[in-house]
Short mmCIF file of all heavy atoms in Angstrom, two decimals:
data_model
loop_
_atom_site.label_atom_id
_atom_site.label_comp_id
_atom_site.label_asym_id
_atom_site.label_seq_id
_atom_site.Cartn_x
_atom_site.Cartn_y
_atom_site.Cartn_z
N ARG A 1 -19.37 29.29 -99.67
CA ARG A 1 -18.59 30.46 -99.77
C ARG A 1 -19.61 31.74 -99.84
O ARG A 1 -19.35 32.73 -99.37
CB ARG A 1 -17.71 30.37 -100.85
CG ARG A 1 -16.66 31.50 -100.93
CD ARG A 1 -15.54 31.23 -101.93
NE ARG A 1 -14.52 32.22 -101.78
CZ ARG A 1 -13.38 32.19 -102.47
NH1 ARG A 1 -13.13 31.16 -103.44
NH2 ARG A 1 -12.45 33.19 -102.29
N LEU A 2 -20.75 31.47 -100.55
CA LEU A 2 -21.69 32.57 -100.65
C LEU A 2 -22.19 32.93 -99.28
O LEU A 2 -22.33 34.16 -98.98
CB LEU A 2 -22.80 32.13 -101.50
CG LEU A 2 -24.05 33.05 -101.70
CD1 LEU A 2 -23.59 34.32 -102.34
CD2 LEU A 2 -25.16 32.34 -102.53
N ALA A 3 -22.52 32.00 -98.36
CA ALA A 3 -22.89 32.23 -97.01
C ALA A 3 -21.88 33.09 -96.26
O ALA A 3 -22.27 34.06 -95.55
CB ALA A 3 -23.20 30.96 -96.33
N GLY A 4 -20.65 32.72 -96.46
CA GLY A 4 -19.63 33.53 -95.77
C GLY A 4 -19.52 34.94 -96.29
O GLY A 4 -19.30 35.95 -95.55
N ILE A 5 -19.66 35.08 -97.63
CA ILE A 5 -19.59 36.46 -98.19
C ILE A 5 -20.78 37.34 -97.80
O ILE A 5 -20.62 38.51 -97.44
CB ILE A 5 -19.45 36.33 -99.81
CG1 ILE A 5 -18.14 35.78 -100.15
CG2 ILE A 5 -19.62 37.71 -100.43
CD1 ILE A 5 -17.95 35.56 -101.66
N LEU A 6 -22.00 36.71 -97.80
CA LEU A 6 -23.16 37.48 -97.31
C LEU A 6 -22.95 37.89 -95.92
O LEU A 6 -23.34 39.06 -95.59
CB LEU A 6 -24.37 36.54 -97.46
CG LEU A 6 -24.96 36.33 -98.83
CD1 LEU A 6 -25.93 35.10 -98.77
CD2 LEU A 6 -25.53 37.48 -99.42
N TRP A 7 -22.49 37.01 -95.03
CA TRP A 7 -22.25 37.43 -93.55
C TRP A 7 -21.19 38.56 -93.50
O TRP A 7 -21.44 39.51 -92.80
CB TRP A 7 -21.78 36.19 -92.85
CG TRP A 7 -21.26 36.56 -91.51
CD1 TRP A 7 -22.04 36.91 -90.40
CD2 TRP A 7 -19.94 36.70 -91.07
NE1 TRP A 7 -21.20 37.22 -89.30
CE2 TRP A 7 -19.93 37.08 -89.76
CE3 TRP A 7 -18.68 36.51 -91.79
CZ2 TRP A 7 -18.75 37.26 -89.03
CZ3 TRP A 7 -17.53 36.68 -91.10
CH2 TRP A 7 -17.53 37.02 -89.74
N ALA A 8 -20.15 38.47 -94.29
CA ALA A 8 -19.11 39.46 -94.22
C ALA A 8 -19.58 40.81 -94.76
O ALA A 8 -19.24 41.85 -94.11
CB ALA A 8 -17.90 39.06 -94.98
N MET A 9 -20.41 40.88 -95.78
CA MET A 9 -20.97 42.08 -96.24
C MET A 9 -21.85 42.79 -95.19
O MET A 9 -21.74 44.03 -94.96
CB MET A 9 -21.80 41.85 -97.52
CG MET A 9 -20.89 41.48 -98.75
SD MET A 9 -21.94 40.86 -100.12
CE MET A 9 -23.11 42.16 -100.34
N TRP A 10 -22.65 41.92 -94.52
CA TRP A 10 -23.46 42.36 -93.43
C TRP A 10 -22.68 42.96 -92.28
O TRP A 10 -22.94 44.05 -91.82
CB TRP A 10 -24.42 41.28 -93.00
CG TRP A 10 -25.45 41.66 -92.11
CD1 TRP A 10 -25.69 42.86 -91.51
CD2 TRP A 10 -26.59 40.74 -91.54
NE1 TRP A 10 -26.80 42.78 -90.63
CE2 TRP A 10 -27.37 41.54 -90.66
CE3 TRP A 10 -26.89 39.45 -91.78
CZ2 TRP A 10 -28.37 41.01 -90.04
CZ3 TRP A 10 -27.94 38.89 -91.15
CH2 TRP A 10 -28.65 39.64 -90.25
N ARG A 11 -21.68 42.18 -91.93
CA ARG A 11 -20.87 42.55 -90.79
C ARG A 11 -20.16 43.91 -91.06
O ARG A 11 -20.08 44.72 -90.09
CB ARG A 11 -19.74 41.47 -90.56
CG ARG A 11 -18.75 41.73 -89.53
CD ARG A 11 -17.53 40.88 -89.66
NE ARG A 11 -16.90 41.18 -90.99
CZ ARG A 11 -15.90 40.41 -91.41
NH1 ARG A 11 -15.55 39.27 -90.76
NH2 ARG A 11 -15.35 40.64 -92.64
N ASP A 12 -19.70 44.15 -92.16
CA ASP A 12 -18.85 45.36 -92.58
C ASP A 12 -19.63 46.41 -93.16
O ASP A 12 -19.17 47.50 -93.44
CB ASP A 12 -17.67 44.90 -93.53
CG ASP A 12 -16.81 43.91 -92.92
OD1 ASP A 12 -16.67 43.82 -91.60
OD2 ASP A 12 -16.09 43.18 -93.59
N GLY A 13 -20.93 46.18 -93.41
CA GLY A 13 -21.76 47.29 -94.13
C GLY A 13 -21.36 47.60 -95.49
O GLY A 13 -21.46 48.71 -95.93
N THR A 14 -20.85 46.53 -96.25
CA THR A 14 -20.43 46.80 -97.56
C THR A 14 -21.29 46.18 -98.61
O THR A 14 -22.07 45.29 -98.34
CB THR A 14 -19.02 46.18 -97.80
OG1 THR A 14 -19.01 44.77 -97.45
CG2 THR A 14 -17.96 46.80 -96.93
N VAL A 15 -21.23 46.67 -99.88
CA VAL A 15 -21.93 46.04 -100.98
C VAL A 15 -20.96 45.10 -101.66
O VAL A 15 -19.78 45.03 -101.31
CB VAL A 15 -22.47 47.08 -102.00
CG1 VAL A 15 -23.48 47.94 -101.30
CG2 VAL A 15 -21.35 47.97 -102.43
N TYR A 16 -21.49 44.29 -102.54
CA TYR A 16 -20.58 43.24 -103.19
C TYR A 16 -19.54 44.02 -104.13
O TYR A 16 -19.96 44.77 -105.01
CB TYR A 16 -21.46 42.36 -103.99
CG TYR A 16 -20.63 41.09 -104.59
CD1 TYR A 16 -19.97 40.17 -103.82
CD2 TYR A 16 -20.59 41.01 -105.96
CE1 TYR A 16 -19.28 39.14 -104.38
CE2 TYR A 16 -19.87 40.02 -106.61
CZ TYR A 16 -19.23 39.05 -105.75
OH TYR A 16 -18.49 38.06 -106.31
N ASP A 17 -18.42 43.54 -104.00
CA ASP A 17 -17.29 44.09 -104.78
C ASP A 17 -16.53 42.88 -105.24
O ASP A 17 -15.81 42.17 -104.44
CB ASP A 17 -16.37 44.92 -103.91
CG ASP A 17 -15.27 45.52 -104.79
OD1 ASP A 17 -14.89 44.97 -105.81
OD2 ASP A 17 -14.76 46.63 -104.33
N ALA A 18 -16.61 42.59 -106.52
CA ALA A 18 -16.05 41.30 -107.10
C ALA A 18 -14.56 41.35 -106.90
O ALA A 18 -13.90 40.27 -106.64
CB ALA A 18 -16.42 41.34 -108.59
N ALA A 19 -13.84 42.49 -107.07
CA ALA A 19 -12.39 42.47 -106.87
C ALA A 19 -12.02 42.10 -105.44
O ALA A 19 -11.06 41.37 -105.27
CB ALA A 19 -11.94 43.83 -107.24
N MET A 20 -12.81 42.67 -104.47
CA MET A 20 -12.40 42.28 -103.07
C MET A 20 -12.85 40.90 -102.75
O MET A 20 -12.21 40.20 -101.98
CB MET A 20 -13.12 43.29 -102.15
CG MET A 20 -12.64 44.76 -102.34
SD MET A 20 -10.84 44.89 -102.27
CE MET A 20 -10.44 44.39 -100.61
N ALA A 21 -13.92 40.39 -103.31
CA ALA A 21 -14.36 38.94 -103.06
C ALA A 21 -13.35 38.00 -103.48
O ALA A 21 -13.22 36.91 -102.94
CB ALA A 21 -15.70 38.78 -103.69
N ALA A 22 -12.55 38.43 -104.53
CA ALA A 22 -11.53 37.52 -105.03
C ALA A 22 -10.44 37.23 -103.97
O ALA A 22 -9.73 36.22 -104.01
CB ALA A 22 -10.93 38.09 -106.27
N LYS A 23 -10.30 38.15 -103.08
CA LYS A 23 -9.33 38.02 -101.97
C LYS A 23 -9.83 37.21 -100.85
O LYS A 23 -10.21 37.66 -99.77
CB LYS A 23 -8.88 39.45 -101.51
CG LYS A 23 -8.23 40.24 -102.51
CD LYS A 23 -7.80 41.60 -101.97
CE LYS A 23 -7.12 42.50 -102.96
NZ LYS A 23 -6.72 43.85 -102.41
N SER A 24 -9.93 35.81 -101.10
CA SER A 24 -10.36 34.86 -100.16
C SER A 24 -11.69 35.19 -99.44
O SER A 24 -11.76 35.12 -98.21
CB SER A 24 -9.29 34.69 -99.10
OG SER A 24 -9.08 35.84 -98.36
N GLY A 25 -12.64 35.68 -100.21
CA GLY A 25 -14.08 35.75 -99.70
C GLY A 25 -14.26 36.70 -98.52
O GLY A 25 -13.98 37.87 -98.65
N ALA A 26 -14.60 36.14 -97.37
CA ALA A 26 -15.06 37.00 -96.25
C ALA A 26 -13.88 37.91 -95.71
O ALA A 26 -14.09 39.04 -95.39
CB ALA A 26 -15.57 36.22 -95.13
N ARG A 27 -12.65 37.39 -95.73
CA ARG A 27 -11.61 38.11 -95.29
C ARG A 27 -11.21 39.25 -96.22
O ARG A 27 -10.76 40.34 -95.78
CB ARG A 27 -10.29 37.19 -95.13
CG ARG A 27 -10.41 36.21 -93.96
CD ARG A 27 -9.09 35.56 -93.69
NE ARG A 27 -8.70 34.79 -94.90
CZ ARG A 27 -9.08 33.52 -95.14
NH1 ARG A 27 -9.96 32.92 -94.35
NH2 ARG A 27 -8.68 32.88 -96.16
N GLY A 28 -11.45 39.06 -97.46
CA GLY A 28 -11.19 40.09 -98.42
C GLY A 28 -12.17 41.26 -98.39
O GLY A 28 -11.78 42.44 -98.45
N LEU A 29 -13.39 40.97 -98.09
CA LEU A 29 -14.37 42.05 -97.94
C LEU A 29 -14.16 42.92 -96.74
O LEU A 29 -14.53 44.08 -96.76
CB LEU A 29 -15.77 41.41 -97.83
CG LEU A 29 -16.34 40.80 -99.02
CD1 LEU A 29 -17.69 40.15 -98.80
CD2 LEU A 29 -16.53 41.90 -100.15
N ARG A 30 -13.52 42.39 -95.67
CA ARG A 30 -13.24 43.20 -94.55
C ARG A 30 -12.41 44.37 -94.89
O ARG A 30 -12.42 45.39 -94.31
CB ARG A 30 -12.67 42.34 -93.37
CG ARG A 30 -12.06 43.19 -92.20
CD ARG A 30 -12.07 42.42 -90.93
NE ARG A 30 -13.30 42.51 -90.28
CZ ARG A 30 -13.61 42.08 -89.11
NH1 ARG A 30 -12.78 41.33 -88.50
NH2 ARG A 30 -14.82 42.17 -88.54
N ALA A 31 -11.44 44.15 -95.85
CA ALA A 31 -10.49 45.22 -96.19
C ALA A 31 -11.10 46.22 -97.25
O ALA A 31 -10.41 47.15 -97.58
CB ALA A 31 -9.27 44.57 -96.85
N ALA A 32 -12.32 46.01 -97.60
CA ALA A 32 -12.93 46.85 -98.67
C ALA A 32 -13.11 48.28 -98.09
O ALA A 32 -13.71 48.46 -97.12
CB ALA A 32 -14.24 46.23 -99.16
N ALA A 33 -12.67 49.31 -98.83
CA ALA A 33 -12.92 50.62 -98.47
C ALA A 33 -13.77 51.21 -99.60
O ALA A 33 -13.30 51.67 -100.67
CB ALA A 33 -11.58 51.43 -98.43
N GLN A 34 -15.03 51.33 -99.45
CA GLN A 34 -15.94 51.63 -100.52
C GLN A 34 -16.45 53.02 -100.30
O GLN A 34 -16.77 53.50 -99.25
CB GLN A 34 -17.20 50.72 -100.39
CG GLN A 34 -16.75 49.18 -100.72
CD GLN A 34 -18.01 48.33 -100.70
OE1 GLN A 34 -18.90 48.55 -100.03
NE2 GLN A 34 -17.97 47.20 -101.43
N SER A 35 -16.50 53.72 -101.46
CA SER A 35 -16.91 55.17 -101.42
C SER A 35 -18.45 55.15 -101.41
O SER A 35 -19.16 54.21 -101.69
CB SER A 35 -16.45 55.83 -102.68
OG SER A 35 -17.04 55.35 -103.86
N THR A 36 -18.97 56.30 -100.97
CA THR A 36 -20.46 56.46 -100.91
C THR A 36 -21.02 56.32 -102.34
O THR A 36 -22.17 55.71 -102.51
CB THR A 36 -20.82 57.97 -100.44
OG1 THR A 36 -20.22 58.08 -99.19
CG2 THR A 36 -22.27 58.10 -100.37
N GLU A 37 -20.32 56.85 -103.39
CA GLU A 37 -20.82 56.62 -104.78
C GLU A 37 -20.87 55.18 -105.15
O GLU A 37 -21.83 54.79 -105.88
CB GLU A 37 -19.86 57.41 -105.66
CG GLU A 37 -20.05 58.97 -105.49
CD GLU A 37 -19.15 59.43 -104.36
OE1 GLU A 37 -18.45 58.63 -103.82
OE2 GLU A 37 -19.17 60.66 -103.98
N GLN A 38 -19.81 54.48 -104.76
CA GLN A 38 -19.85 53.02 -105.16
C GLN A 38 -20.94 52.29 -104.54
O GLN A 38 -21.62 51.45 -105.17
CB GLN A 38 -18.42 52.46 -104.65
CG GLN A 38 -18.34 50.90 -105.07
CD GLN A 38 -16.95 50.37 -104.53
OE1 GLN A 38 -16.28 51.05 -103.90
NE2 GLN A 38 -16.66 49.14 -104.89
#
C-alpha cells in the first residue's frame, strides 16, 4: 500500500495527507486539494 501511495503522491504532485490517505490509499490522494501553505 505504501508503494501505491508514493506513486499517487508523485502522480498528483501532492504531499502526504493522512486524512486523504484514509480514503482507500492512492484513489483518495487523487481527490486531495492541497493549499500552498499545506
Side-chain angles (χ1 to χ4, degrees):
R1 192 163 189 179
L2 177 61
I5 292 175
L6 286 167
W7 168 77
M9 289 168 56
W10 187 357
R11 174 198 64 190
D12 300 335
T14 57
V15 294
Y16 184 66
D17 185 334
M20 296 307 299
K23 298 181 179 180
S24 64
R27 291 190 297 275
L29 288 174
R30 167 154 274 181
Q34 297 179 331
S35 67
T36 303
E37 292 79 6
Q38 182 182 3

